[in-house]
Amino acid sequence: MAAEAPLVSIRGLELGYPVRSGLFKRVVGSVRAVAGVDLDIRRGETLGLVGESGCGKTSLGKAMLQLERPTGGEVLLDCGGARRDLCRMRQGELREARRRMQIVFQDPYSSLNPAFTIYGSLEDAMRRYGLATRAERRRRLGELLEAVNMRPEHMDRYPSEFSGGQRQRIGIARALSADPELVVCDEAVSALDVSIRAQVLNLLLKLKAERGLTYLFISHDLSVVEYVSDRIAVMYLGRIVELAGTEELYSNPLHPYTRALLSAIPIADPDRARRRIVLEGDVPSPVDPPPGCPFHPRCPDRVEECSRVPPALRTHMIKGEAHAAACHLAKE
Ligand code: SF4
């Protein structure tokens, strides 16, 4: 039986910004925030996207959603069996594609207008996409608030009347009000206290199961990503350097960068010691990335070839499962 087509296929995606300097703000260089990324998001999965801050994971999410227009590559969305490139869609088509792909931000306060009631903020997407009549909107938003463990009467209050955890649940309801298929959760629980974080994560998992959603879950926190993800992609300097199923990635990381990230996760069991791998130096500037493997200046395993030849993201079959890594030394 043929495998189902991915909901989204990203091919050679680029997002660059000009670097300006001087009195006349002349362009003196460019930054590749996303540097030729290939990635499939399968229907119904949670794909975790991890890496240190500044690695390009938020830029990748925004470029995929066309919140920032990519400077190259394709974002192919499955539209009833045909694959349509969002980067080349006209505004009208893009509007419908955007409805199908929503985002939950780290700081829900910034995406909720403080001058609007919750109803005012939430009914906006429904109205914009013509999803319900005016009379229906109130009923449907009440149901949505109940789905995120809030009360329907909360819709007449203002954002400032809620705690951080409640505001994030309202942010989730806002994303769901457009009836999307894919939700990008961009550091969606990073600003929350640990106990509230677990509640919101469990809520996201419940909503995914109930509504058949697909998630791209962006986070710098590997424990959180492990909890929610089916597969995980690791990013470094705008590139995917490793991609595998969650269990496989955590038990058998092939890339030295992933091994270093995993070694920093605290273990609750005192009998299980783990050797911490401390990386040398900071993440290099994306304005002037190192030649060869972009990780080589910090890599504890580098060999002579690493500073000259960029490693391709190669897929290995391990115990029947695809596991990709961009490292010259990665072996099955
Ligand atoms: Fe390290 Fe070389 Fe592998 Fe890059 S290619 S991660 S520098 S061993």
Short mmCIF file of all heavy atoms in Angstrom, two decimals, residues 217-274:
data_model
loop_
_atom_site.label_atom_id
_atom_site.label_comp_id
_atom_site.label_asym_id
_atom_site.label_seq_id
_atom_site.Cartn_x
_atom_site.Cartn_y
_atom_site.Cartn_z
N PHE A 217 5.84 21.16 16.68
CA PHE A 217 6.04 21.61 18.06
C PHE A 217 7.47 22.13 18.21
O PHE A 217 8.43 21.36 18.26
CB PHE A 217 5.77 20.45 19.02
CG PHE A 217 5.55 20.89 20.42
CD1 PHE A 217 4.27 21.13 20.91
CD2 PHE A 217 6.63 21.10 21.27
CE1 PHE A 217 4.07 21.57 22.20
CE2 PHE A 217 6.44 21.54 22.57
CZ PHE A 217 5.16 21.77 23.04
N ILE A 218 7.60 23.46 18.26
CA ILE A 218 8.92 24.10 18.31
C ILE A 218 9.28 24.39 19.76
O ILE A 218 8.50 25.02 20.48
CB ILE A 218 8.89 25.43 17.52
CG1 ILE A 218 8.55 25.16 16.05
CG2 ILE A 218 10.21 26.17 17.65
CD1 ILE A 218 8.31 26.42 15.22
N SER A 219 10.46 23.93 20.20
CA SER A 219 10.85 24.20 21.58
C SER A 219 12.36 24.03 21.73
O SER A 219 12.99 23.28 20.99
CB SER A 219 10.14 23.24 22.53
OG SER A 219 10.56 23.45 23.86
N HIS A 220 12.93 24.74 22.71
CA HIS A 220 14.34 24.52 23.02
C HIS A 220 14.45 23.46 24.12
O HIS A 220 15.54 23.04 24.46
CB HIS A 220 14.98 25.83 23.51
CG HIS A 220 14.43 26.28 24.83
ND1 HIS A 220 13.23 26.92 24.95
CD2 HIS A 220 14.90 26.10 26.08
CE1 HIS A 220 12.99 27.15 26.24
NE2 HIS A 220 13.99 26.65 26.94
N ASP A 221 13.31 23.03 24.68
CA ASP A 221 13.29 22.14 25.83
C ASP A 221 13.10 20.68 25.38
O ASP A 221 12.01 20.28 24.97
CB ASP A 221 12.14 22.57 26.76
CG ASP A 221 12.13 21.78 28.06
OD1 ASP A 221 12.58 20.62 28.07
OD2 ASP A 221 11.66 22.33 29.07
N LEU A 222 14.18 19.91 25.46
CA LEU A 222 14.13 18.54 24.93
C LEU A 222 13.22 17.62 25.74
O LEU A 222 12.71 16.63 25.20
CB LEU A 222 15.53 17.94 24.83
CG LEU A 222 16.23 18.35 23.54
CD1 LEU A 222 17.09 19.57 23.76
CD2 LEU A 222 17.05 17.20 23.00
N SER A 223 13.03 17.90 27.04
CA SER A 223 12.14 17.05 27.83
C SER A 223 10.70 17.22 27.35
O SER A 223 9.95 16.25 27.22
CB SER A 223 12.20 17.41 29.32
OG SER A 223 13.50 17.56 29.72
N VAL A 224 10.33 18.47 27.10
CA VAL A 224 8.98 18.78 26.64
C VAL A 224 8.74 18.14 25.27
O VAL A 224 7.72 17.50 25.02
CB VAL A 224 8.78 20.32 26.59
CG1 VAL A 224 7.55 20.69 25.80
CG2 VAL A 224 8.68 20.87 28.00
N VAL A 225 9.71 18.30 24.39
CA VAL A 225 9.58 17.77 23.03
C VAL A 225 9.47 16.24 23.05
O VAL A 225 8.69 15.65 22.31
CB VAL A 225 10.77 18.26 22.17
CG1 VAL A 225 10.84 17.51 20.86
CG2 VAL A 225 10.61 19.74 21.89
N GLU A 226 10.24 15.61 23.92
CA GLU A 226 10.18 14.14 24.02
C GLU A 226 8.78 13.69 24.43
O GLU A 226 8.25 12.70 23.94
CB GLU A 226 11.20 13.63 25.04
CG GLU A 226 11.20 12.12 25.18
CD GLU A 226 12.14 11.62 26.26
OE1 GLU A 226 12.52 12.40 27.15
OE2 GLU A 226 12.49 10.43 26.20
N TYR A 227 8.17 14.45 25.32
CA TYR A 227 6.85 14.08 25.86
C TYR A 227 5.76 14.10 24.80
O TYR A 227 4.88 13.25 24.80
CB TYR A 227 6.52 15.04 27.02
CG TYR A 227 5.22 14.73 27.72
CD1 TYR A 227 5.06 13.54 28.43
CD2 TYR A 227 4.18 15.64 27.70
CE1 TYR A 227 3.87 13.26 29.08
CE2 TYR A 227 2.98 15.36 28.35
CZ TYR A 227 2.84 14.17 29.03
OH TYR A 227 1.65 13.90 29.67
N VAL A 228 5.85 15.06 23.86
CA VAL A 228 4.72 15.23 22.93
C VAL A 228 4.97 14.69 21.52
O VAL A 228 4.02 14.49 20.77
CB VAL A 228 4.30 16.72 22.80
CG1 VAL A 228 3.78 17.26 24.11
CG2 VAL A 228 5.43 17.58 22.27
N SER A 229 6.24 14.47 21.14
CA SER A 229 6.54 14.27 19.71
C SER A 229 6.55 12.81 19.27
O SER A 229 6.99 11.93 20.01
CB SER A 229 7.90 14.89 19.37
OG SER A 229 7.92 16.24 19.73
N ASP A 230 6.15 12.59 18.02
CA ASP A 230 6.30 11.29 17.38
C ASP A 230 7.68 11.20 16.71
O ASP A 230 8.33 10.18 16.74
CB ASP A 230 5.22 11.08 16.31
CG ASP A 230 3.83 11.16 16.91
OD1 ASP A 230 3.54 10.37 17.81
OD2 ASP A 230 3.05 12.06 16.51
N ARG A 231 8.08 12.29 16.07
CA ARG A 231 9.41 12.39 15.47
C ARG A 231 10.01 13.72 15.89
O ARG A 231 9.28 14.65 16.24
CB ARG A 231 9.34 12.35 13.93
CG ARG A 231 8.88 11.03 13.36
CD ARG A 231 9.03 11.02 11.84
NE ARG A 231 8.35 12.13 11.21
CZ ARG A 231 8.76 12.73 10.09
NH1 ARG A 231 9.86 12.35 9.49
NH2 ARG A 231 8.07 13.73 9.57
N ILE A 232 11.33 13.81 15.79
CA ILE A 232 12.00 15.05 16.20
C ILE A 232 13.05 15.44 15.15
O ILE A 232 13.82 14.59 14.68
CB ILE A 232 12.67 14.89 17.58
CG1 ILE A 232 11.58 14.67 18.65
CG2 ILE A 232 13.53 16.10 17.94
CD1 ILE A 232 12.09 14.41 20.03
N ALA A 233 13.05 16.74 14.79
CA ALA A 233 14.09 17.29 13.93
C ALA A 233 14.95 18.23 14.78
O ALA A 233 14.42 19.02 15.55
CB ALA A 233 13.45 18.06 12.77
N VAL A 234 16.26 18.11 14.65
CA VAL A 234 17.18 18.96 15.39
C VAL A 234 17.77 19.98 14.42
O VAL A 234 18.23 19.61 13.34
CB VAL A 234 18.32 18.12 16.02
CG1 VAL A 234 19.26 18.99 16.84
CG2 VAL A 234 17.75 17.00 16.88
N MET A 235 17.73 21.26 14.81
CA MET A 235 18.23 22.33 13.93
C MET A 235 19.49 22.97 14.48
O MET A 235 19.63 23.13 15.69
CB MET A 235 17.17 23.44 13.79
CG MET A 235 16.36 23.33 12.53
SD MET A 235 15.34 24.79 12.31
CE MET A 235 16.14 25.53 10.90
N TYR A 236 20.38 23.33 13.57
CA TYR A 236 21.59 24.07 13.95
C TYR A 236 21.94 25.02 12.81
O TYR A 236 22.03 24.59 11.65
CB TYR A 236 22.75 23.09 14.21
CG TYR A 236 23.97 23.77 14.77
CD1 TYR A 236 24.03 24.12 16.12
CD2 TYR A 236 25.06 24.07 13.97
CE1 TYR A 236 25.15 24.76 16.65
CE2 TYR A 236 26.18 24.70 14.48
CZ TYR A 236 26.22 25.04 15.83
OH TYR A 236 27.33 25.68 16.35
N LEU A 237 22.11 26.28 13.13
CA LEU A 237 22.46 27.31 12.14
C LEU A 237 21.59 27.25 10.89
O LEU A 237 22.11 27.26 9.77
CB LEU A 237 23.93 27.19 11.76
CG LEU A 237 24.93 28.04 12.56
CD1 LEU A 237 26.31 27.98 11.92
CD2 LEU A 237 24.50 29.48 12.69
N GLY A 238 20.28 27.14 11.08
CA GLY A 238 19.34 27.20 9.96
C GLY A 238 19.18 25.92 9.17
O GLY A 238 18.49 25.89 8.16
N ARG A 239 19.85 24.81 9.64
CA ARG A 239 19.78 23.54 8.91
C ARG A 239 19.24 22.44 9.82
O ARG A 239 19.45 22.49 11.03
CB ARG A 239 21.18 23.11 8.45
CG ARG A 239 21.84 24.07 7.50
CD ARG A 239 23.34 24.02 7.65
NE ARG A 239 24.02 24.92 6.72
CZ ARG A 239 24.25 26.21 6.93
NH1 ARG A 239 23.85 26.79 8.06
NH2 ARG A 239 24.85 26.95 6.03
N ILE A 240 18.59 21.44 9.21
CA ILE A 240 18.24 20.25 9.97
C ILE A 240 19.49 19.36 10.02
O ILE A 240 20.05 19.02 8.97
CB ILE A 240 17.09 19.45 9.29
CG1 ILE A 240 15.86 20.33 9.09
CG2 ILE A 240 16.76 18.19 10.08
CD1 ILE A 240 15.13 20.75 10.33
N VAL A 241 19.93 19.01 11.22
CA VAL A 241 21.14 18.17 11.32
C VAL A 241 20.80 16.74 11.73
O VAL A 241 21.63 15.84 11.60
CB VAL A 241 22.20 18.78 12.27
CG1 VAL A 241 22.69 20.11 11.73
CG2 VAL A 241 21.67 18.94 13.70
N GLU A 242 19.60 16.51 12.26
CA GLU A 242 19.20 15.14 12.60
C GLU A 242 17.68 15.06 12.61
O GLU A 242 17.00 16.02 12.99
CB GLU A 242 19.77 14.73 13.97
CG GLU A 242 19.51 13.26 14.29
CD GLU A 242 20.55 12.64 15.22
OE1 GLU A 242 21.36 13.36 15.81
OE2 GLU A 242 20.53 11.40 15.36
N LEU A 243 17.17 13.90 12.19
CA LEU A 243 15.71 13.69 12.13
C LEU A 243 15.44 12.21 12.33
O LEU A 243 15.97 11.38 11.59
CB LEU A 243 15.17 14.15 10.78
CG LEU A 243 13.70 13.83 10.47
CD1 LEU A 243 12.76 14.58 11.39
CD2 LEU A 243 13.38 14.20 9.01
N ALA A 244 14.63 11.89 13.36
CA ALA A 244 14.33 10.48 13.62
C ALA A 244 13.08 10.38 14.49
O ALA A 244 12.61 11.39 15.05
CB ALA A 244 15.50 9.80 14.33
N GLY A 245 12.56 9.16 14.66
CA GLY A 245 11.49 8.91 15.61
C GLY A 245 11.99 9.25 17.01
O GLY A 245 13.19 9.15 17.29
N THR A 246 11.08 9.65 17.90
CA THR A 246 11.50 10.16 19.22
C THR A 246 12.32 9.13 20.00
O THR A 246 13.40 9.44 20.50
CB THR A 246 10.24 10.57 20.02
OG1 THR A 246 9.55 11.55 19.26
CG2 THR A 246 10.59 11.14 21.38
N GLU A 247 11.82 7.90 20.07
CA GLU A 247 12.53 6.88 20.87
C GLU A 247 13.91 6.62 20.28
O GLU A 247 14.91 6.54 21.01
CB GLU A 247 11.69 5.60 20.87
CG GLU A 247 11.73 4.90 22.21
CD GLU A 247 10.93 3.62 22.15
OE1 GLU A 247 9.74 3.70 21.80
OE2 GLU A 247 11.52 2.56 22.43
N GLU A 248 13.96 6.49 18.96
CA GLU A 248 15.23 6.22 18.28
C GLU A 248 16.21 7.38 18.51
O GLU A 248 17.38 7.15 18.82
CB GLU A 248 14.95 6.00 16.78
CG GLU A 248 16.14 6.05 15.87
CD GLU A 248 17.18 4.96 16.09
OE1 GLU A 248 16.88 3.96 16.76
OE2 GLU A 248 18.32 5.13 15.58
N LEU A 249 15.74 8.61 18.39
CA LEU A 249 16.64 9.77 18.54
C LEU A 249 17.22 9.84 19.96
O LEU A 249 18.40 10.11 20.14
CB LEU A 249 15.91 11.07 18.19
CG LEU A 249 16.84 12.28 18.15
CD1 LEU A 249 17.07 12.72 16.70
CD2 LEU A 249 16.31 13.45 18.93
N TYR A 250 16.36 9.60 20.95
CA TYR A 250 16.83 9.72 22.33
C TYR A 250 17.72 8.56 22.74
O TYR A 250 18.60 8.72 23.59
CB TYR A 250 15.64 9.86 23.30
CG TYR A 250 15.12 11.28 23.38
CD1 TYR A 250 14.46 11.85 22.29
CD2 TYR A 250 15.33 12.07 24.51
CE1 TYR A 250 14.01 13.15 22.33
CE2 TYR A 250 14.87 13.38 24.56
CZ TYR A 250 14.22 13.92 23.46
OH TYR A 250 13.78 15.22 23.49
N SER A 251 17.49 7.37 22.14
CA SER A 251 18.30 6.22 22.56
C SER A 251 19.56 6.07 21.70
O SER A 251 20.53 5.46 22.11
CB SER A 251 17.47 4.93 22.49
OG SER A 251 17.02 4.73 21.17
N ASN A 252 19.53 6.66 20.49
CA ASN A 252 20.66 6.44 19.58
C ASN A 252 20.95 7.70 18.76
O ASN A 252 20.87 7.70 17.54
CB ASN A 252 20.30 5.26 18.64
CG ASN A 252 21.39 4.96 17.66
OD1 ASN A 252 22.58 5.12 17.96
ND2 ASN A 252 21.02 4.54 16.46
N PRO A 253 21.30 8.82 19.42
CA PRO A 253 21.57 10.05 18.65
C PRO A 253 22.82 9.87 17.79
O PRO A 253 23.85 9.40 18.28
CB PRO A 253 21.79 11.11 19.74
CG PRO A 253 22.17 10.34 20.96
CD PRO A 253 21.52 9.00 20.88
N LEU A 254 22.72 10.23 16.51
CA LEU A 254 23.85 10.03 15.59
C LEU A 254 24.70 11.29 15.43
O LEU A 254 25.84 11.21 15.01
CB LEU A 254 23.33 9.62 14.19
CG LEU A 254 22.56 8.30 14.10
CD1 LEU A 254 22.16 8.03 12.65
CD2 LEU A 254 23.41 7.14 14.63
N HIS A 255 24.12 12.45 15.75
CA HIS A 255 24.86 13.70 15.53
C HIS A 255 25.45 14.20 16.85
O HIS A 255 24.75 14.22 17.87
CB HIS A 255 23.90 14.75 14.96
CG HIS A 255 24.60 15.91 14.31
ND1 HIS A 255 25.22 16.89 15.05
CD2 HIS A 255 24.81 16.22 13.01
CE1 HIS A 255 25.76 17.78 14.21
NE2 HIS A 255 25.53 17.38 12.97
N PRO A 256 26.72 14.62 16.86
CA PRO A 256 27.34 15.10 18.11
C PRO A 256 26.58 16.25 18.75
O PRO A 256 26.58 16.39 19.97
CB PRO A 256 28.74 15.54 17.66
CG PRO A 256 29.02 14.79 16.41
CD PRO A 256 27.68 14.59 15.73
N TYR A 257 25.94 17.10 17.94
CA TYR A 257 25.18 18.22 18.51
C TYR A 257 23.98 17.69 19.30
O TYR A 257 23.71 18.15 20.41
CB TYR A 257 24.72 19.16 17.38
CG TYR A 257 23.89 20.33 17.86
CD1 TYR A 257 24.40 21.23 18.79
CD2 TYR A 257 22.60 20.54 17.38
CE1 TYR A 257 23.64 22.30 19.22
CE2 TYR A 257 21.84 21.61 17.81
CZ TYR A 257 22.37 22.49 18.74
OH TYR A 257 21.62 23.55 19.18
N THR A 258 23.27 16.72 18.73
CA THR A 258 22.13 16.12 19.45
C THR A 258 22.63 15.46 20.73
O THR A 258 21.99 15.58 21.79
CB THR A 258 21.43 15.07 18.56
OG1 THR A 258 21.19 15.64 17.28
CG2 THR A 258 20.12 14.62 19.16
N ARG A 259 23.76 14.76 20.65
CA ARG A 259 24.29 14.10 21.87
C ARG A 259 24.58 15.13 22.94
O ARG A 259 24.29 14.91 24.12
CB ARG A 259 25.56 13.30 21.53
CG ARG A 259 25.28 12.02 20.76
CD ARG A 259 26.44 11.04 20.85
NE ARG A 259 27.55 11.42 20.00
CZ ARG A 259 27.68 11.07 18.73
NH1 ARG A 259 26.75 10.33 18.15
NH2 ARG A 259 28.72 11.44 18.04
N ALA A 260 25.12 16.28 22.54
CA ALA A 260 25.42 17.34 23.53
C ALA A 260 24.14 17.90 24.13
O ALA A 260 24.04 18.10 25.35
CB ALA A 260 26.23 18.45 22.86
N LEU A 261 23.11 18.13 23.29
CA LEU A 261 21.84 18.65 23.81
C LEU A 261 21.23 17.65 24.80
O LEU A 261 20.75 18.02 25.86
CB LEU A 261 20.85 18.89 22.66
CG LEU A 261 21.13 20.03 21.69
CD1 LEU A 261 20.04 20.10 20.63
CD2 LEU A 261 21.22 21.38 22.41
N LEU A 262 21.25 16.36 24.42
CA LEU A 262 20.63 15.34 25.28
C LEU A 262 21.40 15.19 26.59
O LEU A 262 20.80 14.92 27.64
CB LEU A 262 20.57 13.99 24.56
CG LEU A 262 19.60 13.90 23.37
CD1 LEU A 262 19.69 12.54 22.70
CD2 LEU A 262 18.17 14.15 23.83
N SER A 263 22.71 15.38 26.55
CA SER A 263 23.51 15.20 27.76
C SER A 263 23.20 16.26 28.80
O SER A 263 23.52 16.12 29.97
CB SER A 263 25.00 15.21 27.42
OG SER A 263 25.45 16.55 27.25
N ALA A 264 22.57 17.37 28.37
CA ALA A 264 22.26 18.47 29.29
C ALA A 264 20.92 18.29 29.98
O ALA A 264 20.58 19.07 30.88
CB ALA A 264 22.27 19.79 28.53
N ILE A 265 20.14 17.24 29.60
CA ILE A 265 18.83 17.05 30.25
C ILE A 265 19.06 16.42 31.63
O ILE A 265 19.72 15.39 31.73
CB ILE A 265 17.92 16.10 29.43
CG1 ILE A 265 17.70 16.64 28.02
CG2 ILE A 265 16.58 15.88 30.12
CD1 ILE A 265 16.90 15.69 27.14
N PRO A 266 18.54 17.03 32.70
CA PRO A 266 18.72 16.44 34.03
C PRO A 266 18.00 15.09 34.13
O PRO A 266 16.93 14.92 33.55
CB PRO A 266 18.07 17.46 34.97
CG PRO A 266 17.66 18.62 34.14
CD PRO A 266 17.72 18.23 32.71
N ILE A 267 18.62 14.13 34.84
CA ILE A 267 17.98 12.82 35.06
C ILE A 267 17.57 12.75 36.53
O ILE A 267 18.38 13.03 37.42
CB ILE A 267 18.95 11.66 34.75
CG1 ILE A 267 19.47 11.76 33.32
CG2 ILE A 267 18.28 10.31 34.97
CD1 ILE A 267 20.47 10.68 32.96
N ALA A 268 16.32 12.36 36.76
CA ALA A 268 15.80 12.32 38.14
C ALA A 268 16.42 11.16 38.94
O ALA A 268 16.52 11.23 40.16
CB ALA A 268 14.28 12.19 38.11
N ASP A 269 16.86 10.10 38.26
CA ASP A 269 17.36 8.89 38.94
C ASP A 269 18.85 9.07 39.30
O ASP A 269 19.70 9.15 38.41
CB ASP A 269 17.17 7.71 37.98
CG ASP A 269 17.58 6.39 38.61
OD1 ASP A 269 18.17 6.44 39.70
OD2 ASP A 269 17.31 5.35 38.00
N PRO A 270 19.22 9.11 40.62
CA PRO A 270 20.62 9.34 40.99
C PRO A 270 21.54 8.18 40.60
O PRO A 270 22.75 8.34 40.54
CB PRO A 270 20.55 9.52 42.52
CG PRO A 270 19.26 8.92 42.93
CD PRO A 270 18.33 8.99 41.77
N ASP A 271 20.96 6.97 40.36
CA ASP A 271 21.79 5.82 39.98
C ASP A 271 22.19 5.85 38.51
O ASP A 271 23.04 5.08 38.07
CB ASP A 271 21.04 4.50 40.25
CG ASP A 271 20.78 4.34 41.74
OD1 ASP A 271 21.59 4.90 42.53
OD2 ASP A 271 19.78 3.70 42.10
N ARG A 272 21.52 6.72 37.73
CA ARG A 272 21.85 6.78 36.30
C ARG A 272 22.60 8.07 36.00
O ARG A 272 22.03 9.11 35.79
CB ARG A 272 20.56 6.75 35.46
CG ARG A 272 19.96 5.36 35.32
CD ARG A 272 18.66 5.44 34.53
NE ARG A 272 18.84 6.03 33.21
CZ ARG A 272 17.93 6.81 32.63
NH1 ARG A 272 16.82 7.12 33.25
NH2 ARG A 272 18.15 7.28 31.42
N ALA A 273 23.91 7.96 36.05
CA ALA A 273 24.72 9.15 35.76
C ALA A 273 24.84 9.32 34.25
O ALA A 273 24.78 8.35 33.51
CB ALA A 273 26.11 8.98 36.36
N ARG A 274 24.95 10.57 33.79
CA ARG A 274 25.13 10.80 32.36
C ARG A 274 26.28 11.79 32.21
O ARG A 274 26.35 12.78 32.94
CB ARG A 274 23.84 11.37 31.77
CG ARG A 274 23.99 11.65 30.29
CD ARG A 274 22.70 11.67 29.54
NE ARG A 274 21.65 12.43 30.16
CZ ARG A 274 20.36 12.33 29.80
NH1 ARG A 274 19.99 11.47 28.89
NH2 ARG A 274 19.45 13.07 30.39
#
